[in-house]
Amino acid sequence: MDDIDRAILRELQIDGRIAYAELGPKVGLSASAARQRLQRLLDSQAVQVVGVTDPMGMGGQAMGLLGIAVDGDPRAVADQLAERTEVVYSVLTSGGFDLFAEVVCPGPRDLLDFVNDVVRQIEGVRQVQSFPYFGIHTHRFLWNVG
């Protein structure tokens, strides 16, 4: 992946539906060259173009990252969390927590209730540390591509 590929990805992160006629000049290419570059990235499976929802834009007003310590197999806890609509994603780690889960709730009280009434009640959960963030437009789905 070179600098032009990274520039294409940065533009797609801003506007995933950008027209090639607009994308090309922004990255120093013609529209057809930009289309060919993006197609090469897609064909190599280095890049996927997908729709991503913004939970805050869908009515949630309270999000939080939960650091969860588990006695036993953290995959079982992650599987139970994955069944909940409040959970955006969960990821196993090898650090101070066994897994992280990002959650979105209608409001701060709902987030507190989710942590206390759902997460802490899952068998094997030893500790939950919540890192809440509230309000709209606090969440960006951007990856640093250089």
Side-chain angles (χ1 to χ4, degrees):
M1 186 172 299
D2 65 15
D3 290 342
I4 292 175
D5 292 337
R6 286 188 282 280
I8 289 170
L9 295 178
R10 281 191 299 273
E11 293 299 327
L12 287 172
Q13 287 180 337
I14 295 166
D15 179 3
R17 298 182 59 189
I18 190 170
Y20 292 118
E22 187 179 346
L23 175 62
K26 285 188 173 196
V27 299
L29 298 173
S30 68
S32 64
R35 182 188 59 73
Q36 289 172 347
R37 281 284 190 126
L38 179 55
Q39 190 60 55
R40 181 178 51 78
L41 290 167
L42 293 169
D43 290 344
S44 72
Q45 297 182 340
V47 172
Q48 292 180 342
V49 177
V50 298
V52 176
T53 60
D54 181 349
M56 299 299 270
M58 297 178 65
Q61 294 298 309
M63 291 183 76
L65 184 65
L66 306 180
I68 304 169
V70 175
D71 289 326
D73 187 353
R75 292 173 292 195
V77 174
D79 288 345
Q80 288 186 50
L81 288 172
E83 296 174 5
R84 300 295 306 216
T85 59
E86 297 91 346
V87 176
V88 177
Y89 70 85
S90 64
V91 60
L92 299 173
T93 74
S94 60
F97 293 102
D98 296 301
L99 65 102
F100 284 105
E102 186 174 43
V103 299
V104 62
C105 295
R109 178 60 191 220
D110 303 290
L111 179 58
L112 176 65
D113 290 345
F114 181 76
V115 169
N116 288 326
D117 300 340
V118 176
V119 180
R120 292 186 195 280
Q121 304 308 313
I122 296 174
E123 185 177 340
V125 170
R126 177 173 27 92
Q127 175 191 4
V128 179
Q129 187 166 349
S130 177
F131 304 91
Y133 31 107
F134 306 107
I136 57 174
H137 306 301
T138 59
H139 201 263
R140 296 288 308 235
F141 294 98
L142 299 178
W143 299 93
N144 183 6
V145 292

